[in-house]
Amino acid sequence: ASEGNMPQEQGPLICPGHSRPVAGIEFSRETEDGVFLISACHDKTAMIRSGETGDWIGTLEGHKGAVWGAALNPPATHAVTCSADFSAKVWDALTGDELYTLQHKHVVRCAGWAPDSTRFVTGGKEKHLRLFELGEAAPADPLLLQGHTACVKVCHFIGDRQTLLSAGEDKTMRLWDLRTGSTQREIEFSGSVNSVELTADGRIMTVAAGTEVSFWDLTSWQCLKRFSLGVIAANGYGVNSASLHPNRKAFVAGGGNFWVYQHDFETGEELACNKGHHGPVYGAAASRLSLAPSRLAGESP
């Protein structure tokens, strides 16, 4: 990798396999077996790949509707998938076996794992969050966290198993204390909060909301930087996703106009525009491998 804003330019690595729009992409943390990449797709499946080479490892099949989100637990041994079939499924990520199906009352859009992998949360068009405890038996009735007034598109644990972040189409982000089920903090944005990414050390949060990308200090909860990327808005979408590169010198963002942009983290200056997708870009992610090239996902199969 170069010492500049981004690694030396290289051609895209194409990962074939999906047959419909890719709705989400997420890298695992570094594990004993490396870094893994999980993708959620409207073809009713999720796929697990090597996060270093893009090589296919396995396909999670079983949903009857589009898969909108997928998340690996920290050691990448289990996965949760979220679907338009009103369910979330828990999988053994090592064998591909389906472990549990958890029925919901509407489309499920997102999921997040606690750091110790003992619990996970789901969110979606029900407008509230469901907190499940994962033990040797099937997860029991979940704790419901209510407060959002529109679809929940993002949910992440922050720091420990007792603090949760959620955000969505009601233009708000909420920080929850799971010991009491109450909201600790609420932040308003100018548009739908479409993606939230945390750095590996948990210090910086990258938020894509409306036509803006903002960066937040998770110690003080102060906004560090905010950039307007109105050029991305098209076809009814704003900035769908943004990701800060591990070297914290640049970030990538994608949205409605089919292109993926690289920007300077300090100034917001556009560094590059990457073309190749044939539809809105739903997800963009930088690998958690130190100074590894960014990996991107969009609507194209």
Side-chain angles (χ1 to χ4, degrees), residues 205-220:
M205 174 176 69
T206 304
V207 181
T211 58
E212 294 182 336
V213 175
S214 56
F215 301 90
W216 297 73
D217 184 315
L218 288 182
T219 301
S220 65

Side-chain angles (χ1 to χ4, degrees), residues 49-201:
R49 301 176 184 273
S50 165
E52 301 175 46
T53 65
D55 290 344
W56 176 86
I57 294 174
T59 301
L60 306 178
E61 298 181 88
H63 281 293
K64 297 179 180 179
V67 177
W68 277 99
L72 289 166
N73 68 340
T77 57
H78 290 80
V80 174
T81 52
C82 312
S83 177
D85 65 8
F86 293 18
S87 78
K89 291 181 183 288
V90 182
W91 308 80
D92 184 320
L94 303 180
T95 65
D97 292 337
E98 178 184 324
L99 302 179
Y100 312 113
T101 296
L102 307 170
Q103 295 299 326
H104 292 58
K105 295 182 179 180
H106 213 314
V107 175
V108 191
R109 290 291 301 267
C110 60
W113 286 91
D116 61 4
S117 300
T118 61
R119 50 175 38 178
F120 60 91
V121 65
T122 62
K125 289 195 174 183
E126 288 181 329
K127 304 177 186 178
H128 55 248
L129 298 150
R130 292 174 178 248
L131 177 66
F132 295 93
E133 301 289 343
L134 187 63
E136 294 182 0
D141 291 340
L143 171 68
L144 297 183
L145 301 173
Q146 298 177 318
H148 283 288
T149 59
C151 178
V152 179
K153 302 178 77 172
V154 176
C155 51
H156 291 292
F157 281 83
I158 302 289
D160 58 32
R161 70 190 304 272
Q162 302 293 356
T163 307
L164 179 70
L165 176 154
S166 63
E169 292 182 352
D170 61 4
K171 305 179 184 180
T172 66
M173 176 182 295
R174 293 174 179 267
L175 193 66
W176 304 84
D177 183 341
L178 297 181
R179 291 165 294 194
T180 63
S182 61
T183 302
Q184 292 181 316
R185 186 184 302 271
E186 184 174 339
I187 303 173
E188 295 185 358
F189 292 84
S190 61
S192 170
V193 182
N194 298 319
S195 81
V196 176
E197 182 187 81
L198 311 178
T199 54
D201 59 12

